[in-house]
Amino acid sequence: MGSLVFAMGDYGHELRFGIFVPPEAARGPALLRLIRQADEARLEVLAVQDHPYQSAFLDTWTLLSYAGAMTRNLTLMPAVANLPLRPPAVLARSVASLDLLTGGRVELGLGAGAFWDAIEAMGGPRRTPGQALTALREAIAVIRALWGTDERPRVEGQFYALRGTKAGPAPAHPVGIWLGVYGPRALRLTGELADGWLGSFAYAPPDRLAALMSAIDTGARDAGRVPALIRRAYVIDPTMTPAQLTDVALAHGISEFLLPVDPDGEWATQQFAAETVPAVRAAVAAARVL
């Protein structure tokens, strides 16, 4: 950003656009066609829901790995990885491995957990909100330590620890950790530790964004960080117009927009890439030079 000051809540981040998909097992071939189309249309992000307890879904990490081999442009992201069912030390190595194999095209969306009955039914832990937040903090420490330069990092935590294992492999690029959270303490944790926030219209319509972004910014400042370091991504309502998306970008600092589509959503994806994306890019660029 340099010394530029952008209007309202705009942090001046480069805009990125992509799709957010459910990994429906029964529609696997259609889902793969959709992913190819998004890649060929030069969309930038493939975000995949992660609900390991959902028997109708393909495993998200397996799908992302397969998608990595059949695409060239898309950044691959679980949105968001279900921490209680994905041990962070193993997840760290999985993320780094796929990042290496795809030439640096992986980002990590991470969630503290929800749907606790379903998680418990899969053998996972049931956590209180406070426990889930503590576990999330510890998981970030574990993941970053295994991507770091200390040969044998140590992390001591209530839920997760590293006690002598070797670090590595290092990812191909600095993988961002994006938190899919909405509570005040979790949002402050995002500002304190994360690289990005990943939210959704379904849980945070535009009239809630100002308060959520303020909580992230407060967490960043309290930790001695610059709020503009934290990118903001948003799963949009498909009915939102380019003008509304431009508004969200300039007013709230959202710089990544994800269109939710079912596996048969090729027409919607094409329209988004061909019409909405260039219109929003142009409008935001015009506003930034004023």
Side-chain angles (χ1 to χ4, degrees):
M1 284 174 52
S3 61
L4 293 177
V5 177
F6 294 96
M8 303 172 70
D10 180 20
Y11 293 116
H13 294 143
E14 179 183 359
L15 299 183
R16 300 202 306 173
F17 298 84
I19 56 172
F20 172 72
V21 300
E24 296 182 28
R27 294 199 278 177
L31 182 56
L32 296 180
R33 285 195 301 271
L34 178 69
I35 292 170
R36 286 193 189 93
Q37 179 200 21
D39 189 55
E40 291 168 0
R42 295 284 176 166
L43 291 175
E44 289 122 327
V45 183
L46 170 65
V48 181
Q49 296 178 26
D50 186 37
H51 299 284
Y53 39 76
Q54 172 54 268
S55 61
F57 281 1
L58 300 166
D59 172 69
T60 291
W61 202 256
T62 304
L63 175 61
L64 287 171
S65 299
Y66 194 97
M70 56 178 269
T71 59
R72 293 294 176 265
N73 304 304
L74 291 169
T75 291
L76 311 163
M77 176 189 287
V80 287
N82 187 290
L83 179 60
L85 291 174
R86 296 193 183 275
V90 177
L91 185 59
R93 299 206 201 279
S94 298
V95 170
S97 299
L98 187 56
D99 197 57
L100 287 165
L101 293 170
T102 59
R105 290 195 288 124
V106 178
E107 297 282 286
L108 176 57
L110 195 58
F115 307 105
W116 294 105
D117 288 345
I119 289 170
E120 195 171 43
M122 283 278 288
R126 180 182 290 273
R127 292 173 178 153
T128 66
Q131 290 172 333
L133 193 62
T134 298
L136 182 59
R137 175 184 291 275
E138 294 173 0
I140 293 170
V142 165
I143 291 166
R144 290 234 168 93
L146 289 175
W147 292 344
T149 56
D150 288 349
E151 184 179 355
R152 291 187 182 273
R154 293 190 68 86
V155 174
E156 292 294 339
Q158 178 183 353
F159 299 99
Y160 301 116
L162 295 176
R163 298 180 179 133
T165 190
K166 289 187 177 181
H173 86 295
V175 173
I177 296 178
W178 302 64
L179 300 187
V181 295
Y182 299 94
R185 289 186 300 161
L187 290 164
R188 289 194 295 272
L189 179 67
T190 302
E192 177 189 350
L193 294 179
D195 302 292
W197 175 77
L198 175 56
S200 170
F201 179 96
Y203 298 102
D207 62 4
R208 285 195 62 203
L209 286 176
L212 301 184
M213 298 305 99
S214 177
I216 293 172
D217 292 352
T218 297
R221 293 191 189 98
D222 288 349
R225 301 178 76 200
V226 178
L229 291 174
I230 297 100
R231 289 180 59 95
R232 332 282 165 125
Y234 196 50
V235 179
I236 68 173
D237 183 310
T239 65
M240 293 178 77
T241 65
Q244 289 172 317
L245 298 182
T246 300
D247 237 8
V248 167
L250 297 174
H252 304 299
I254 304 294
S255 59
E256 191 159 308
F257 295 96
L258 303 173
L259 177 72
V261 284
D262 290 330
D264 57 1
E266 292 182 62
W267 181 86
T269 299
Q270 180 59 37
Q271 185 180 46
F272 183 66
E275 299 178 14
T276 302
V277 170
V280 177
R281 285 195 196 281
V284 170
R288 285 176 173 173
V289 300
L290 295 178

